[in-house]
Amino acid sequence: MKTIMTNRKSNILVVDDTPASLKLLSDLLKAEGYEVRSAINGELAIESAIRNPPELMLLDILMPVMGGFEVCRRLKAHPATCQVPVIFVSALSETDEKVQGFALGAVDFVTKPYQRDELLARVRTHLEIVNLRDHLEELVEERNSELRKSQEMLQASLQDSMLANTHLRTLVQTIPDLIWLKDPDGVYLACNRQFERLYGALEADIIGKTDYDFVTQELADFFRRNDHRAASANKVCANEEWLSFADNGYRGLFETLKSPMLDQNGKLIGVLGIARDISERKLAEAKIQRHMHLYAALSQGNKIIAHCTDEAELFLRICRAAVELGGMKMAWIGLIDAAQAKIRPVASFGKGAEILERLEISLDPDSPFGNSPTSMAIRQESPVWCQDFMNDPFTAPWREEGARAGWAASASLPLRRNGVVTGAFILYADEINAFDDAARDLLIEMSMDINLALDNFSRALAQKQAEAEIERLAFYDPLTNLPNRRLLYDRLKQAIANNARSGNHVAALFIDLDNFKTLNDTRGHTIGDLLLIEVACRLETCLREGDTVARLGGDEFVVILNGLDEDPTHAASQAKTVGNKILSTASQPYQLSGYQHHCSASMGIGLFRHAETTTEEILKCIDTALYQAKRGGRNSLSFYDPAMQATLEIRAALENDLRQALEENQFQLYYQMQVNQIGQILGAEVLIRWLHPQRGLVSPLEFIELAEETGQILPIGKWVIETACAQLKTWENQHRFANLQLAVNVSAPQFHQNDFVEHIRHTLQHYRLNPERLKLELTESLVLDDIEDTITKMQQLREIGVRFSMDDFGTGYSSLYYLTKLPIDQLKIDQSFVQNIGITQNDGVIVQTIIGMANNLGIESLAEGVETEEQRAFLEQHGCNFYQGYLFSRPLPLNQFEERFIAANTEQSAASHVSTGIN
């Protein structure tokens, strides 16, 4: 707070009945420069104060005759001293005494004995308050004086203002625009006669009221928002608004200008409004704008027609141009569906286009939906203009949907293709009477341009069809529509070149129908042709995309199979699979014009992949193979290469035997022991063997791949897991074998079965087996084939205790990233690296790296294929944990493995007794 400075001494009255106290207090205040008067009792104090009111009084409470409380009460009651501030200085300190003193009007209370600094501080504070009060009173008096002078000046100018106001009011009343004035709260202060017509009331009845007294709340809120906008912007603000006059019901669009009215000090005193009718001007502008939009759409339509080569693209872009450039609400094109006597929408754009999916527009005049403006335009073959969509009787069935989309008027123009009406171009506007003469002319011209484009499309389509037919006759068989001999030669050349570059085989299959001549001779060529057509269709269903089937002539067909395996045996197997499928499909009964016919076919197959092979050589080879097939009894296939044929026959026999092997219990498990660094046998890897009744022991190299190709690997894999678990359960009841673990190889098809995890879990539960005794060996390629599926399944099995080994590690992708993500317990070093220890330095480095990696990751390492002591020593030196290989044992049948295990344990036990001195 700013202190009010003064040069005069403050006048203080001190009252106390004790002379010593009175003198002490007076001297203290005089020393501070105050003018001090004193009174020894209450009567003298009142007399002195009334005669010469002090600026502050220090008053004792306990005095004879008249106490301090009574003195204060009397002083506050007297007009001369009622404003004098009183500070009680007394030995009384009870709260009740203080409350009583403040109630009488005291400003403060000082308790004796007082502190000098405290007393002086309180005195200074209250004197400052007195000075501020006095200064404020002086300012108020000064302001009142100024107001009196202003009132006199205002009175003098009022007469002049009244005269000027009379002239201004006369001018305002003669202006044809609506004029009004409101105060900042929206209360009307004045208006002219034109404004009186708006509210249907005289100015005297409008002044003092607001818009809410005359119009709806929504409209009044709109007026108030615009008033506030002008006042806030402190400038003229314009807006357009629709106004309805109460005196005659006229409704028009008005341009309103609102100006803030300020006094000479810049203070807002109201808002002045002026409104002018612009309805006719807006209608004229809108009409010109519509015409300009339509002309722009017409110009754009000409460009679209010049560049479009596709009818669907043309229709969509024309509709889009009509909306985006032509100002239409929505546009669509419908074509006649003669079968259903309806108009089918083929292109649309704009607001409400989605409605077309559920609108029905019929061409039948007797249908409830058959008298739309569009239906009539097509039937009458002339445009139909609907200027008021919501009230036109012909639009009643579609009025509800049109209202939601905002359609106010529509135009339906028939479209022609080669002079025949085939559909209509329909447009919707968002205001009634939108299609005047000029707009109609522009839209008719646009529809004629579309007709011209449709004619051009028809001619271009006819030309393309003629060209396509010429090409078809040149390269395709007219009966079956398959490639003919000419195109077949070209496809064969391409197949040879493409597959030679990739190293893959291509197969050519020569197919001839058995006894086709007999059908032609007995039933005629018409039935024979029907059979050829049906055979062609069936051949196409047997092929992949990219393969070819062609009709060579008569009843001969050639099939080209691309992209077969690089390995000739596998490629031949693939070709044979397709060939058998074709023979099976061709042998199904045929229904030929009411006649059921049974037919078979013979097939010759040749495999090729050398670029120098000619098409003539291929056809000659497969023709020779076809001849061999027919000599073999028909309804069969034969390969051109006799050696390949023999191989395929052996393979087929082996496949047949493999299907019976599981049922006849021909499989056995062999066990190859896995040992630690001190030679202790901790478990074994189980390996399947096939004891064929005629061929004897069949190597897994011969039948595992075949089992995977035929799907037999799935039941075989389940058998291996179940047999291994059963053996573990058997060992569990035999003390010496109770801690052995078994490692089982899992194939990719088996692991990626949906029920693989459930099968493992069920098998372990069935045998009540400790899951940690089962170890599943997975290859890197299996793991990375579907990494997300692999991680999920491995984690599910790891949670129940199953252990995992990464088989053949180092030969695949060796992804270290996924190695850290997978719950791997063991890395199995591939035998190809182990066999080269001491021979190839790089392989030794790789082995060391794998062992070091496993140790750093906390994973076991196991080397397979260990055959020499040198290899074992190297592995042990570098920290390999476990070993497997011929150095320790070959894979053995169960009984031999158990005998070897017992013998090894006996030897270790004896060695242990010797080393510890036990006899």
Side-chain angles (χ1 to χ4, degrees):
M1 179 182 293
K2 183 178 180 181
T3 304
I4 304 300
M5 303 300 294
T6 179
N7 294 324
R8 66 178 180 82
K9 295 181 178 180
S10 298
N11 181 8
I12 302 175
L13 177 60
V14 180
V15 183
D16 198 315
D17 65 331
T18 305
S21 297
L22 184 61
K23 184 177 185 306
L24 177 63
L25 188 54
S26 297
D27 292 345
L28 176 63
L29 294 174
K30 288 177 182 178
E32 293 295 320
Y34 296 116
E35 183 179 323
V36 181
R37 291 183 291 147
S38 60
I40 197 67
N41 57 48
E43 291 85 352
L44 292 176
I46 292 174
E47 179 183 352
S48 177
I50 293 175
R51 183 177 64 252
N52 183 15
E55 295 177 52
L56 179 65
M57 178 182 287
L58 301 181
L59 179 60
D60 188 17
I61 296 176
L62 298 177
M63 297 184 296
V65 183
M66 184 183 297
F69 286 154
E70 180 61 22
V71 172
C72 182
R73 186 186 63 76
R74 291 188 183 187
L75 289 176
K76 292 299 178 181
H78 196 282
T81 57
C82 63
Q83 297 296 327
V84 175
V86 176
I87 299 177
F88 284 118
V89 182
S90 174
L92 297 176
S93 60
E94 295 296 327
T95 302
D96 292 343
E97 282 82 3
K98 293 182 179 181
V99 171
Q100 184 179 356
F102 287 128
L104 289 173
V107 295
D108 210 340
F109 202 105
V110 178
T111 304
K112 294 180 181 179
Y114 49 78
Q115 295 292 325
R116 174 183 177 277
D117 292 340
E118 179 187 359
L119 177 66
L120 291 176
R122 292 176 185 257
V123 168
R124 282 195 297 269
T125 298
H126 290 292
L127 285 174
E128 182 69 24
I129 293 173
V130 170
N131 290 335
L132 289 173
R133 184 192 66 197
D134 292 344
H135 180 66
L136 182 60
E137 289 176 351
E138 291 173 2
L139 292 177
V140 171
E141 178 59 30
E142 181 182 350
R143 181 61 177 162
N144 288 339
S145 176
E146 292 177 354
L147 288 176
R148 284 193 297 272
K149 291 180 182 179
S150 297
Q151 185 176 8
E152 292 172 359
M153 293 174 62
L154 182 62
Q155 191 73 27
S157 64
L158 183 59
Q159 298 298 327
D160 296 336
S161 297
M162 290 178 63
L163 180 60
N165 186 57
T166 300
H167 295 160
L168 178 61
R169 185 167 185 82
T170 301
L171 177 63
V172 169
Q173 293 296 345
T174 58
I175 293 177
D177 297 334
L178 283 69
I179 302 176
W180 67 91
L181 178 65
K182 300 178 187 176
D183 70 7
D185 296 324
V187 178
Y188 281 99
L189 301 175
C191 66
N192 67 350
R193 292 192 183 93
Q194 290 294 332
F195 191 85
E196 290 177 340
R197 293 178 52 238
L198 176 66
Y199 284 163
L202 297 176
E203 181 184 20
D205 296 325
I206 296 175
I207 292 175
K209 297 181 180 178
T210 68
D211 293 313
Y212 295 96
D213 296 312
F214 299 99
V215 297
T216 64
Q217 179 173 343
E218 181 181 2
L219 185 56
D221 289 341
F222 174 73
F223 291 159
R224 286 297 292 150
R225 285 196 298 272
N226 289 329
D227 291 343
H228 288 311
R229 185 162 64 93
S232 301
N234 198 23
K235 64 180 181 179
V236 178
C237 294
N239 65 282
E240 295 179 0
E241 53 197 28
W242 286 91
L243 300 178
S244 298
F245 284 73
D247 67 338
N248 60 3
Y250 170 75
R251 177 174 173 81
L253 180 63
F254 284 75
E255 180 182 55
T256 301
L257 303 176
K258 293 192 174 182
S259 306
M261 303 297 293
L262 309 176
D263 62 14
Q264 60 183 3
N265 296 319
K267 181 180 179 182
L268 179 71
I269 61 175
V271 176
L272 175 67
I274 303 175
R276 174 168 295 175
D277 192 348
I278 58 171
S279 303
E280 292 186 3
R281 188 188 80 194
K282 281 293 182 179
L283 288 174
E285 290 176 354
K287 184 176 181 179
I288 293 172
Q289 194 70 18
R290 284 198 304 272
H291 294 167
M292 291 178 64
H293 285 160
L294 289 174
Y295 185 78
L298 176 63
S299 299
Q300 183 65 21
N302 290 332
K303 295 179 182 178
I304 292 171
I305 291 170
H307 292 88
C308 279
T309 58
D310 178 74
E311 184 177 286
E313 180 189 6
L314 168 68
F315 288 161
L316 178 59
R317 294 182 63 182
I318 285 290
C319 292
R320 185 167 189 161
V323 174
E324 293 182 340
L325 299 177
M328 293 294 103
K329 194 74 172 178
M330 198 268 279
W332 64 284
I333 290 177
L335 297 181
I336 296 174
D337 186 342
Q340 299 185 14
K342 292 182 179 180
I343 302 171
R344 176 173 53 86
V346 295
S348 61
F349 191 85
K351 182 67 178 298
E354 69 281 357
I355 296 174
L356 297 175
E357 297 179 1
R358 55 181 180 269
L359 287 188
E360 183 176 353
I361 302 177
S362 175
L363 291 174
D364 183 1
D366 297 326
S367 168
F369 306 100
N371 289 293
S372 69
T374 303
S375 304
M376 291 188 292
I378 290 178
R379 287 198 299 267
Q380 298 170 9
E381 299 188 6
S382 63
V384 173
W385 315 95
C386 174
Q387 299 285 27
D388 188 353
F389 191 89
M390 300 310 297
N391 295 300
D392 192 313
F394 294 107
T395 62
W398 308 275
R399 199 169 294 162
E400 182 178 349
E401 298 284 5
R404 281 198 290 267
W407 301 340
S410 70
S412 300
L413 301 97
L415 297 179
R416 293 174 171 82
R417 192 194 304 271
N418 298 325
V420 178
V421 174
T422 58
F425 181 32
I426 303 95
L427 306 100
Y428 297 93
D430 58 2
E431 56 182 316
I432 62 174
N433 300 315
F435 303 106
D436 55 19
D437 291 342
R440 294 183 184 189
D441 291 343
L442 289 171
L443 291 176
I444 290 174
E445 186 175 351
M446 185 180 291
S447 68
M448 293 175 64
D449 290 342
I450 298 174
N451 294 339
L452 179 61
L454 293 179
D455 291 345
N456 291 336
F457 285 154
S458 296
R459 286 192 290 271
L461 179 62
Q463 182 177 353
K464 287 182 179 179
Q465 289 175 342
E467 293 172 353
E469 181 62 16
I470 293 172
E471 182 179 1
R472 192 185 71 82
L473 292 174
F475 294 100
Y476 289 87
D477 172 49
L479 177 64
T480 62
N481 208 33
L482 293 177
N484 58 17
R485 181 186 293 268
R486 182 177 179 182
L487 185 55
L488 171 64
Y489 276 45
D490 183 64
R491 295 279 178 86
L492 275 173
K493 290 179 182 178
Q494 292 179 18
I496 293 170
N498 293 339
N499 287 275
R501 282 195 298 269
S502 64
N504 295 328
H505 282 85
V506 58
L509 287 62
F510 198 168
I511 304 161
D512 181 80
L513 300 182
D514 297 331
N515 302 315
F516 177 72
K517 184 176 183 301
T518 302
L519 176 66
N520 265 347
D521 293 342
T522 58
R523 294 288 178 174
H525 289 279
T526 301
I527 297 298
D529 288 346
L530 292 177
L531 176 62
L532 294 175
I533 294 171
E534 180 64 24
V535 169
C537 294
R538 294 189 185 187
L539 290 177
E540 288 182 312
T541 64
C542 297
L543 304 183
R544 307 161 301 173
E545 184 178 355
D547 295 334
T548 298
V549 55
R551 184 186 177 201
L552 198 59
D555 62 335
E556 296 176 338
F557 299 87
V558 174
V559 170
I560 304 172
L561 301 179
N562 287 298
L564 300 183
D565 200 281
E566 297 179 8
D567 181 75
T569 303
H570 291 169
S573 177
Q574 292 170 335
K576 181 182 177 184
T577 300
V578 177
N580 284 331
K581 182 178 180 181
I582 290 174
L583 294 181
S584 175
T585 302
S587 65
Q588 300 300 314
Y590 296 85
Q591 295 294 331
L592 306 176
S593 189
Y595 164 67
Q596 187 178 61
H597 177 67
H598 293 271
C599 177
S600 63
S602 299
M603 181 184 302
I605 304 177
L607 290 178
F608 311 93
R609 69 170 176 180
H610 298 296
E612 60 272 13
T613 307
T614 66
T615 55
E616 290 76 10
E617 290 174 340
I618 292 175
L619 292 176
K620 180 179 179 181
C621 291
I622 60 177
D623 184 54
T624 301
L626 174 64
Y627 176 75
Q628 293 174 352
K630 285 188 173 292
R631 286 189 59 186
R634 303 178 185 273
N635 193 27
S636 62
L637 59 83
S638 176
F639 277 82
Y640 171 71
D641 185 356
M644 182 63 67
Q645 182 69 24
T647 302
L648 286 174
E649 289 175 357
I650 294 173
R651 183 183 177 89
L654 188 63
E655 178 181 339
N656 184 60
D657 292 345
L658 184 63
R659 296 182 185 279
Q660 301 177 15
L662 197 59
E663 298 176 358
E664 297 178 2
N665 200 27
Q666 296 175 9
F667 290 115
Q668 288 186 10
L669 290 186
Y670 275 45
Y671 300 78
Q672 185 171 29
M673 61 182 60
Q674 297 177 340
V675 303
N676 60 13
Q677 291 179 334
I678 62 174
Q680 183 182 5
I681 302 173
L682 302 180
E685 177 183 1
V686 296
L687 302 167
I688 191 170
R689 295 294 184 265
W690 181 10
L691 297 179
H692 194 279
Q694 286 80 39
R695 299 178 57 185
L697 189 64
V698 180
S699 169
L701 297 177
E702 293 185 53
F703 71 86
I704 290 297
E705 186 175 356
L706 180 62
E708 290 181 347
E709 292 178 2
T710 60
Q712 290 298 303
I713 195 66
L714 298 178
I716 292 174
K718 286 187 176 182
W719 177 86
V720 171
I721 289 176
E722 291 172 0
T723 304
C725 288
Q727 184 58 52
L728 285 172
K729 185 62 179 178
T730 300
W731 283 344
E732 189 175 274
N733 298 323
Q734 302 176 32
H735 176 71
R736 66 180 63 189
F737 300 108
N739 295 322
L740 285 178
Q741 297 178 348
L742 287 182
V744 179
N745 290 285
V746 178
S747 68
Q750 180 184 5
F751 183 84
H752 291 303
Q753 286 287 296
N754 293 332
D755 62 347
F756 177 76
V757 173
E758 186 57 34
H759 174 250
I760 298 295
R761 185 184 289 116
H762 174 76
T763 303
L764 292 172
Q765 290 174 351
H766 175 73
Y767 290 105
R768 298 180 181 178
L769 193 64
N770 179 4
E772 293 183 354
R773 298 181 62 202
L774 178 65
K775 181 168 59 179
L776 301 181
E777 293 194 358
L778 311 177
T779 63
E780 288 183 66
S781 59
L782 180 156
V783 168
L784 298 178
D785 182 46
D786 186 350
I787 188 63
E788 298 299 331
D789 178 65
T790 300
I791 292 174
T792 300
K793 289 180 176 176
M794 289 181 69
Q795 288 177 343
Q796 289 174 348
L797 291 173
R798 194 68 186 86
E799 288 174 0
I800 65 174
V802 176
R803 304 177 76 246
F804 290 93
S805 175
M806 181 73 80
D807 196 12
D808 301 335
F809 188 77
T811 62
Y813 297 95
S814 300
S815 173
L816 302 184
Y817 173 79
Y818 288 117
L819 189 61
T820 62
K821 300 295 182 182
L822 297 170
I824 297 294
D825 301 283
Q826 185 181 84
L827 291 184
K828 200 168 186 181
I829 306 170
D830 186 73
Q831 62 182 351
S832 61
F833 301 120
V834 175
Q835 290 172 355
N836 289 326
I837 290 176
I839 301 174
T840 304
Q841 182 179 0
N842 289 342
D843 285 355
V845 173
I846 292 173
V847 170
Q848 293 179 47
T849 302
I850 295 173
I851 295 172
M853 184 194 318
N855 291 335
N856 290 332
L857 293 174
I859 300 175
E860 299 174 356
S861 57
L862 186 150
E864 64 177 351
V866 181
E867 297 181 355
T868 68
E869 182 60 29
E870 179 185 3
Q871 294 168 353
R872 189 206 64 78
F874 178 91
L875 293 167
E876 180 180 9
Q877 177 186 353
H878 292 92
C880 184
N881 306 115
F882 304 101
Y883 316 97
Q884 176 182 337
Y886 283 6
L887 178 63
F888 308 99
S889 173
R890 294 175 177 271
L892 300 172
L894 177 61
N895 58 341
Q896 295 181 26
F897 172 80
E898 290 179 338
E899 293 172 0
R900 187 69 172 270
F901 176 80
I902 294 172
N905 275 0
T906 301
E907 292 174 3
Q908 283 189 345
S909 177
S912 175
H913 288 176
V914 170
S915 65
T916 57
I918 299 175
N919 296 322

